[in-house]
Amino acid sequence: MTTPPLQALYCRYSWLTNRHPAVLNVTTICRDRTSIAQIHRDALIMVSKLIENPPTWPDGARCAVCLSFDMDGETLVYRRFPDTAPDQVALAAQLRYEPVAAIPRLLNIFREQGLRQTFFVPGWCVDTYPDTVEKILAEGHEIAHHGYAHARPNTQTSSAELESLQAGIESIRALTGARPTGYRAPAFQHSRHTVAHLLDEGFLYDSSLFGDDVPYLVGDDERTMVELPTDITLDDWTQFACLPDFGYMLPIATPGSALEMYKSEFDAAWRHGGMFVTVWHPFLTGRLARAEMMIELIEHMQTRGGVWFATLSQIADHCRSLIDTERWTPRRDFLPFATGPMPSGSPG
């Protein structure tokens, strides 16, 4: 497709901003010297309404971004090798890279970029690495719940799941002085009881499910909480994890190829008023070359402009405020989706 001259693009954006108020004006788009080809591409795509009901973001931002991290530590060793964990020295060393090297590096990057983000930390890691968690807190980041020892809720009984949930809450409360407001299920694996337990414990939001491109509500007939969805494409395991001990043998992506994928996902969220929530792990994305990739991605986002960087609790608070003041009505999922198997005799 032939790229039109700049004057024609000015006219196109003038028409777009009149017909589609969500589209930024051309002077804002161009302030970073974005290429004419990119401006033309954005103009064509942004006319399409690919998200039906996005919320409005603070200060006229086009999208919300949280570069969230899950600091699992050696809980993964204990889950995978409960009887031989002390002998899994190499794997434990790989995961201890998180508090030793990766977290300080990530905190430096966020400080230099002026960002406050969300870290999901299992209760066992809070108890085992209190100094690391205190450093995260000291930089103004959010500590959110990620189980106690990374047990998957859908493999536990309801009472065992609740025990893990309450133990993680207590670990965070004991260190931070406050109960966590956000939750991400280990390995994303909700059970049929998870949302009910979270509502009983007063959580503001969950960020485990992949059900939309923007926030929505999950709950029962009477209660709701905010779901801040992500997607497996934004989980760095799909890019960087090659762990023979876990039988996880995908090829490792270069930071450059991962960066292009992340940019594409972000650019789409930016064009359509969506949300970009990563599920990164310090022992993966905190490695040197990938940390450089993260810096480049942040700079790409900042160059785009109109981006609200926030903790997930801030995003959830904003969404709840819009809902409570009737400025936005998101869709709602009633959970669980099913209470049992298909009826006996159902067609296959």
Side-chain angles (χ1 to χ4, degrees), residues 189-332:
Q189 297 302 315
H190 273 220
S191 78
R192 71 180 71 184
H193 309 290
T194 301
V195 167
H197 288 326
L198 294 175
L199 289 167
D200 289 343
E201 293 294 335
F203 278 83
L204 170 67
Y205 74 87
D206 173 68
S207 184
S208 309
L209 305 179
F210 303 166
D212 212 319
D213 303 297
V214 292
Y216 60 105
L217 297 177
V218 294
D220 54 28
D221 291 336
E222 298 179 353
R223 306 172 297 171
T224 62
M225 63 189 301
V226 178
E227 180 64 36
L228 300 177
T230 181
D231 183 67
I232 199 67
T233 56
L234 301 182
D235 186 332
D236 56 0
W237 275 68
T238 62
Q239 299 294 319
F240 302 132
C242 183
L243 299 170
D245 292 323
F246 289 91
Y248 205 89
M249 297 294 292
L250 288 176
I252 298 174
T254 66
S257 63
L259 177 63
E260 289 308 307
M261 194 273 291
Y262 292 140
K263 281 183 177 180
S264 295
E265 293 290 335
F266 163 75
D267 286 346
W270 182 89
R271 283 190 292 265
H272 300 289
M275 183 175 65
F276 182 93
V277 177
T278 64
V279 184
W280 289 347
H281 300 78
F283 82 100
L284 295 174
T285 296
R287 290 280 176 176
L288 276 173
R290 300 160 192 170
E292 291 181 335
M293 174 213 72
M294 187 178 82
I295 294 171
E296 190 170 347
L297 178 63
I298 293 170
E299 291 175 348
H300 171 77
M301 293 172 170
Q302 291 174 331
T303 296
R304 274 292 206 178
V307 178
W308 181 39
F309 290 95
T311 66
L312 290 178
S313 62
Q314 289 174 321
I315 296 174
D317 276 332
H318 172 70
C319 291
R320 183 56 76 178
S321 175
L322 293 177
I323 295 165
D324 291 346
T325 56
E326 299 182 345
R327 290 177 288 162
W328 178 58
T329 303
R331 72 176 185 83
R332 178 175 176 176

Side-chain angles (χ1 to χ4, degrees), residues 96-114:
R96 284 172 61 88
Y97 184 88
E98 293 189 322
V100 172
I103 291 294
R105 179 176 297 141
L106 295 171
L107 294 180
N108 286 338
I109 292 171
F110 285 146
R111 186 186 316 113
E112 290 169 357
Q113 299 289 344

Side-chain angles (χ1 to χ4, degrees), residues 148-215:
Y148 183 79
H150 212 272
R152 298 184 179 195
N154 67 350
T155 67
Q156 298 178 289
T157 64
S158 177
S159 60
E161 179 183 356
L162 181 59
E163 180 184 27
S164 296
L165 181 67
Q166 291 175 336
I169 291 171
E170 179 55 27
S171 293
I172 293 173
R173 187 208 61 77
L175 184 70
T176 69
R179 292 167 64 93
T181 61
Y183 176 81
R184 176 172 290 150
F188 308 113
Q189 297 302 315
H190 273 220
S191 78
R192 71 180 71 184
H193 309 290
T194 301
V195 167
H197 288 326
L198 294 175
L199 289 167
D200 289 343
E201 293 294 335
F203 278 83
L204 170 67
Y205 74 87
D206 173 68
S207 184
S208 309
L209 305 179
F210 303 166
D212 212 319
D213 303 297
V214 292

Side-chain angles (χ1 to χ4, degrees), residues 3-27:
T3 301
L6 186 59
Q7 183 177 4
L9 288 172
Y10 282 1
C11 294
R12 178 181 293 277
Y13 264 95
S14 177
W15 176 82
L16 281 171
T17 52
N18 287 330
R19 289 282 299 276
H20 304 275
V23 179
L24 293 178
N25 62 54
V26 70
T27 57

